[in-house]
Amino acid sequence: MMNLSSTMKAYGCRYCVSPLKQLLHTTNHHLRFRPRSPSLFSSSFNNLKLPNFNLLLTSNSLFFTMEHLWGRSGMNTNKKMVEHLQQYGVISSEKVARVMETIDRALFVPDRTPAYADCPQEIGYNATISAPHMHATCLQLLEEKLQPGMHALDVGSGTGYLTACFAMMVGPQGRAIGVEHIPELVASSINNIEKSAAAPLLKKGSLSMHVGDGREGWPECAPYDAIHVGAAAPEMPQALLDQLKPGGRMVIPVGNIFQDLKVVDKNPDGSISIRSESSVRYVPLTSRDAQLQS
């Protein structure tokens, strides 16, 4: 049986990992719960129903704990999803809550999937859209660098959800750039954004999606106040450090077998300060061919 510790782990990686590796390595992001009602939290744990082993071998199997705690059946609106994230202490920022309410996650997941459950969804090409709590975590870590007029880069933009959130936060005078190396995902992300509240920003050009190798960033619009990376680099990518503005911040998982979600701040003098936010498990920041063959 899986060990259900007080510090829960939930999936937030953008790319799919082998189910066997998921089982062997507990391959997920830390999520720190701060429930308002301890009795409710204890009751939720006592009522968990563990899946059978066959279910554990499905791509999202390790996240059944989150789905039970957050209630898939009751999570039927974007607003309720955000309220749950607030209730459990994942979202503390009013601005992040407002943006996540404005950008409807259902527009960015495949049809007939539980858009508001706190678990990832497969989007094809061995990729996923991360769980809502991971989006909220990254938005809060970068919030100070996502002020109106600032520039933000989303490496591995997938369906475009987080890039759209960035665009709403930096506004029409800012720039939000999504970079994704799967052309089909870039095309679908543009379609998704066109249906969302961020559509005017896409039309204006302050939000744009590009096909490219995210490991090289997007130098045309650099430097960036905020950079988000959705896969683990074996070491800090120099190209992304170079494109980070003095005073800017990057959130990136770094490591091989053992990984940490790093918060990288470039000081005004150009020096770099790095701290670890939590232990995580992502698949590698890699090439398009390697991703498609995984």
Side-chain angles (χ1 to χ4, degrees):
M1 181 181 296
M2 185 183 300
N3 178 28
L4 301 177
S5 62
S6 59
T7 300
M8 297 295 297
K9 294 187 176 184
Y11 183 76
C13 302
R14 209 180 70 80
Y15 301 121
C16 299
V17 187
S18 153
L20 182 57
K21 287 184 179 179
Q22 290 178 343
L23 284 171
L24 294 177
H25 295 297
T26 315
T27 61
N28 308 303
H29 296 282
H30 278 156
L31 172 61
R32 295 180 177 85
F33 277 102
R34 294 185 294 277
R36 293 180 180 175
S37 171
S39 61
L40 173 64
F41 187 66
S42 299
S43 175
S44 298
F45 264 115
N46 292 336
N47 291 330
L48 289 178
K49 296 179 181 179
L50 301 182
N52 62 36
F53 187 74
N54 288 333
L55 288 177
L56 285 174
L57 294 180
T58 63
S59 61
N60 290 328
S61 61
L62 293 180
F63 320 109
F64 69 93
T65 52
M66 291 298 299
E67 293 178 36
H68 279 268
L69 284 171
W70 295 79
R72 189 181 266 199
S73 61
M75 202 80 66
N76 55 11
T77 69
N78 199 63
K79 184 175 177 61
K80 285 186 178 180
M81 178 193 79
V82 174
E83 288 173 348
H84 273 75
L85 290 167
Q86 291 177 302
Q87 177 185 357
Y88 282 90
V90 180
I91 295 177
S92 57
S93 162
E94 289 299 323
K95 183 175 182 180
V96 170
R98 187 165 60 250
V99 166
M100 290 186 68
E101 283 188 11
T102 302
I103 300 297
D104 190 343
R105 190 171 186 269
L107 300 175
F108 295 84
V109 301
D111 293 337
R112 297 180 295 279
T113 58
Y116 307 120
D118 195 44
C119 61
Q121 305 295 339
E122 296 180 2
I123 59 174
Y125 309 97
N126 291 325
T128 70
I129 178 174
S130 294
H133 80 266
M134 201 63 215
H135 286 146
T137 297
C138 291
L139 286 170
Q140 293 202 152
L141 287 172
L142 292 169
E143 181 179 2
E144 292 181 2
K145 312 303 178 182
L146 294 170
Q147 299 301 314
M150 291 184 171
H151 285 205
L153 174 66
D154 185 18
V155 173
S157 50
T159 65
Y161 175 82
L162 200 60
T163 321
C165 290
F166 287 170
M168 297 298 291
M169 294 179 80
V170 301
Q173 303 306 316
R175 289 298 304 271
I177 306 295
V179 179
E180 167 62 55
H181 57 196
I182 306 296
E184 293 86 352
L185 288 179
V186 174
S188 66
S189 70
I190 292 172
N191 290 333
N192 297 337
I193 293 168
E194 288 175 338
K195 303 172 195 172
S196 78
L201 300 173
L202 183 69
K203 184 176 182 180
K204 174 181 171 57
S206 56
L207 164 58
S208 57
M209 311 300 290
H210 303 275
V211 178
D213 187 337
R215 295 172 295 182
E216 300 301 320
W218 195 254
E220 288 87 341
C221 297
Y224 298 99
D225 299 277
I227 299 178
H228 165 265
V229 183
E235 56 189 22
M236 204 67 67
Q238 187 61 47
L240 297 182
L241 287 175
D242 292 343
Q243 292 173 38
L244 190 62
K245 182 186 294 186
R249 170 172 288 184
M250 175 165 60
V251 174
I252 178 173
V254 178
N256 293 304
I257 296 176
F258 301 103
Q259 302 166 2
D260 289 307
L261 186 65
K262 301 288 188 180
V263 178
V264 182
D265 290 304
K266 181 177 279 190
N267 301 313
D269 63 1
S271 61
I272 299 294
S273 300
I274 303 175
R275 67 177 173 85
S276 293
E277 174 68 16
S278 64
S279 297
V280 293
R281 177 62 175 167
Y282 279 75
V283 298
L285 183 64
T286 187
S287 69
R288 174 181 177 275
D289 290 343
Q291 179 185 328
L292 293 175
Q293 293 171 7
S294 64

